[in-house]
Amino acid sequence: MHQWTWSQKKNKDTKNTQPQVKVHGTDEFFSASLYSNLEQLQNILGNNPDIAIRRFYIDIYNVDAAVVFIRGLADKEQIYEQILKSIMLDFRKHENFISEDRVIGSKIKEKMKDHVVTLTDVEELKNIEDCVMNIFNGETALLIDGVDTVLLLGTKKWPSRQIEEPVTEATVRGPREGFVENILMNISLIRRRIKDPNLVLDKYTIGRRSQTTVIVTYMKDITNDNIIQEVKKRLEKINIDQVPESGIIEQLIEDDPLSPFPQLVTTERPDRAASGLLEGRVAILVDGTPFVLLLPITISSILQGPEDYYERWFVGTLVRLMRFGAVIVSLFAPSLYVALVSYHPGLIPTDLVISIAGSREGVPFPSIIEALMMEVTIEILREAGVRLPKPIGQTVGIVGGLVIGEAAVTAGLVSPMMVIVVAVTAISSFSLPQYGVAIAIRVLRFGMMLSAAVLGLFGIIMFAMVITIHLVKLKSFGVEYTSPFIPYRFKDWKDALVRFPTKTLKQRPDMLKPKDSTRIK
């Protein structure tokens, strides 16, 4: 977390000043003069149209006061009903009660705080920087002449999206609620599922200019302390201007930024986040994004979906095995086709090799050029479908693939077998539950195809060995990425490739080294 101060830079041509953010060790405090305090706040906030400064007079105490807030971030109805109306109108009803303190200015603040303002969140501040940051967060500052502190009143209210079904993690069975951009609402979604006082929420403010709220949450009696301390240490080292999305945090705290594999799981589902917390993981919530980060992760956990646990064990196991198979097909299918056609046709059954040779008759390009052309075309169609409006995007993806594939075969640019291989590969990649994993497989697929084009099956084996060595060396916040396979942890195999019946999953994952390992008694 960072301390910041605001300094002003004079313009040679005008008396107006422009605020600048600079790191500074000295704190500036409010004085007892209302006008001096308002002048300082006005210089910092500038003459922007969304800055509201409302001066008024408290005749009971014969003193001036003012409220400062930002339109659009603060609730104007609350400001009127529970602040201005309470002070300017309702305050008169209690004249007999407060008349004895009429001349004692030091008690005005306490009367306001304890008897007049009816808001739930009321905080007293002396530091100007803290006050400004809270105003930018939607709070309202109440300043009173003769008082050298400010009352910060909780009036946050900004437009936010309603809770909807997650887009990137659709499921057949399970809750339909998804995280939204409001961090307080996201916290409440987790609280609904974990009603336990051991759920800890640690608040950080990251970003010199954006001042983004980041919440680190974990179960105090379950999560390993080493993981918690490592997460906090990495967050505290972040020094950046802006944090627009949780992906920036992910890239700044991951173990190996050069690895194509994600080292944190992103999720829009509160049920998945809650399940991860109860396993002993840590969740990072970032204000302004519906994507929550879960860590640490392993190669088996990123290929698991929430619905694996909501269905009976044999259904969950079957779906999970199909998902692992889809990863293998998505990674190896085009490269195996290239290697077998170019280098090892003798390994293909006779009838099939004759069929492939017939379909390739008249194709002017080698198999690797075919594969690259079709894969690049599919990737372009996929990206176009994502960027376009949803109804148009689906049409472009389906119709574009059919039309281009048929046209390419008719023109003799590619063989029908290559179109089939690329189509199966694309469909397999859609079955992966994590977008980050799908991206990694798509990138590695091109490297695998080039290796197959140069060295055939030997190139595929060598490239697979390089990936395996990288995975074995990779860690996620101290947890081996290939666990529970390497290092070998037999207890965790019950929920790795297959899923055993729920009654047998009595222990939390041993690879996370939880404080409380018992899940079912």
Side-chain angles (χ1 to χ4, degrees):
M1 293 185 288
H2 310 284
Q3 290 289 336
W4 308 100
T5 188
W6 296 80
S7 65
Q8 299 166 5
K9 183 179 179 181
K10 293 184 179 180
N11 192 313
K12 295 180 181 179
D13 301 327
T14 177
K15 294 182 180 180
N16 293 334
T17 57
Q18 293 296 330
Q20 290 185 330
V21 182
K22 293 187 178 179
V23 182
H24 200 278
T26 341
D27 290 332
E28 296 182 11
F29 300 96
F30 287 105
S31 66
S33 169
L34 172 66
Y35 301 101
S36 173
N37 294 336
L38 288 178
E39 184 179 2
Q40 290 190 70
L41 289 177
Q42 184 117 34
N43 288 335
I44 294 172
L45 298 172
N47 295 318
N48 298 305
D50 61 337
I51 304 297
I53 299 178
R54 172 70 164 86
R55 296 182 177 90
F56 56 93
Y57 182 70
I58 308 175
D59 55 357
I60 297 295
Y61 284 121
N62 193 26
V63 68
D64 291 319
V67 291
V68 182
F69 60 93
I70 296 182
R71 298 183 179 94
L73 297 182
D75 187 352
K76 293 179 68 174
E77 186 176 341
Q78 274 192 334
I79 293 171
Y80 170 72
E81 289 290 340
Q82 302 187 44
I83 301 175
L84 296 178
K85 185 180 177 183
S86 296
I87 295 174
M88 300 172 70
L89 300 178
D90 297 345
F91 209 14
R92 294 169 176 257
K93 301 174 183 179
H94 304 285
E95 183 174 357
N96 295 331
F97 173 70
I98 62 174
S99 59
E100 58 183 1
D101 297 325
R102 186 187 301 271
V103 296
I104 307 176
S106 60
K107 290 193 176 182
I108 299 177
K109 174 188 62 181
E110 299 301 326
K111 291 292 183 184
M112 294 284 184
K113 185 177 179 181
D114 298 334
H115 300 287
V116 180
V117 176
T118 57
L119 290 168
T120 306
D121 299 326
V122 180
E123 183 182 356
E124 193 173 337
L125 287 180
K126 292 185 178 181
N127 188 285
I128 296 178
E129 300 165 13
D130 294 340
C131 177
V132 170
M133 287 300 103
N134 280 281
I135 290 174
F136 281 133
N137 281 327
E139 312 286 10
T140 297
L142 172 60
L143 298 88
I144 303 170
D145 194 25
V147 179
D148 61 355
T149 58
V150 167
L151 291 182
L152 201 67
L153 311 174
T155 56
K156 292 181 184 178
K157 185 181 180 182
W158 48 72
S160 61
R161 181 168 58 92
Q162 296 299 314
I163 296 175
E164 299 171 352
E165 184 176 355
V167 177
T168 60
E169 293 179 278
T171 182
V172 177
R173 181 174 182 178
R176 303 299 183 188
E177 292 179 328
F179 288 121
V180 295
E181 287 74 12
N182 189 327
I183 194 170
L184 295 177
M185 194 175 295
N186 293 341
I187 292 172
S188 68
L189 290 173
I190 294 177
R191 284 283 191 190
R192 279 184 56 193
R193 289 163 172 80
I194 305 178
K195 301 176 179 67
D196 190 328
N198 289 303
L199 179 65
V200 177
L201 304 170
D202 291 334
K203 181 180 177 181
Y204 291 79
T205 302
I206 300 178
R208 292 191 300 271
R209 296 185 183 275
S210 65
Q211 295 288 311
T212 305
T213 300
V214 177
I215 299 292
V216 177
T217 178
Y218 53 89
M219 298 300 297
K220 182 172 59 177
D221 60 336
I222 296 177
T223 310
N224 188 284
D225 288 334
N226 293 331
I227 297 175
I228 298 171
Q229 295 305 318
E230 184 64 25
V231 173
K232 292 181 177 180
K233 184 176 71 174
R234 296 187 190 185
L235 285 176
E236 289 168 358
K237 288 181 179 179
I238 295 177
N239 189 356
I240 192 172
D241 273 355
Q242 181 193 20
V243 182
E245 215 277 332
S246 59
I248 301 296
I249 299 291
E250 178 183 1
Q251 296 172 59
L252 292 174
I253 66 175
E254 62 185 355
D255 289 68
D256 187 356
L258 299 179
S259 174
F261 294 96
Q263 292 137 62
L264 297 86
V265 165
T266 58
T267 180
E268 284 187 273
R269 299 181 60 92
D271 56 326
R272 183 168 191 178
S275 298
L277 290 170
L278 293 175
E279 283 184 343
R281 304 184 196 275
V282 176
I284 300 177
L285 292 79
V286 181
D287 194 20
T289 174
F291 291 95
V292 171
L293 303 176
L294 271 180
L295 59 100
I297 62 169
T298 62
I299 194 169
S300 60
S301 63
I302 60 178
L303 295 176
Q304 297 173 1
E307 68 272 14
D308 294 359
Y309 301 93
Y310 301 150
E311 298 288 353
R312 299 186 65 194
W313 70 273
F314 60 86
V315 177
T317 298
L318 178 61
V319 172
R320 189 175 294 181
L321 289 175
M322 290 174 60
R323 202 176 289 137
F324 275 89
V327 172
I328 296 173
V329 171
S330 178
L331 181 60
F332 288 99
S335 56
L336 282 173
Y337 176 83
V338 171
L340 292 175
V341 169
S342 302
Y343 289 92
H344 314 284
L347 296 177
I348 308 175
T350 304
D351 293 340
L352 182 58
V353 75
I354 293 173
S355 175
I356 293 174
S359 67
R360 284 186 50 78
E361 186 178 357
V363 176
F365 304 113
S367 57
I368 181 60
I369 301 299
E370 273 190 285
L372 289 176
M373 285 173 51
M374 293 305 298
E375 285 292 341
V376 170
T377 302
I378 289 294
E379 294 301 326
I380 292 173
L381 286 172
R382 193 198 309 250
E383 286 302 311
V386 171
R387 308 303 169 201
L388 290 171
K390 190 174 291 185
I392 303 175
Q394 293 175 352
T395 304
V396 168
I398 297 172
V399 176
L402 291 173
V403 171
I404 292 176
E406 180 64 25
V409 172
T410 304
L413 298 178
V414 297
S415 64
M417 184 60 71
M418 174 54 73
V419 174
I420 295 173
V421 170
V422 171
V424 171
T425 302
I427 293 172
S428 298
S429 66
F430 288 137
S431 66
L432 303 181
Q434 280 290 316
Y435 181 73
V437 183
I439 290 288
I441 297 298
R442 286 157 61 181
V443 171
L444 294 173
R445 185 163 62 236
F446 285 95
M448 189 75 78
M449 286 190 296
L450 294 175
S451 300
V454 175
L455 296 173
L457 288 177
F458 182 71
I460 294 176
I461 294 171
M462 292 297 294
F463 197 85
M465 288 179 63
V466 171
I467 295 175
T468 304
I469 292 170
H470 171 70
L471 289 174
V472 170
K473 292 174 60 179
L474 189 61
K475 289 188 177 182
S476 174
F477 293 84
V479 176
E480 295 81 2
Y481 206 73
T482 52
S483 185
F485 311 112
I486 303 171
Y488 181 76
R489 289 187 173 93
F490 179 72
K491 291 182 180 179
D492 292 344
W493 275 61
K494 295 180 179 179
D495 192 20
L497 282 175
V498 299
R499 184 179 81 79
F500 279 36
T502 304
K503 290 182 179 180
T504 64
L505 302 177
K506 296 183 178 181
Q507 303 295 318
R508 292 187 173 89
D510 186 56
M511 55 191 164
L512 299 176
K513 298 180 175 59
K515 297 177 183 176
D516 181 7
S517 60
T518 304
R519 179 159 45 188
I520 299 178
K521 296 182 179 179

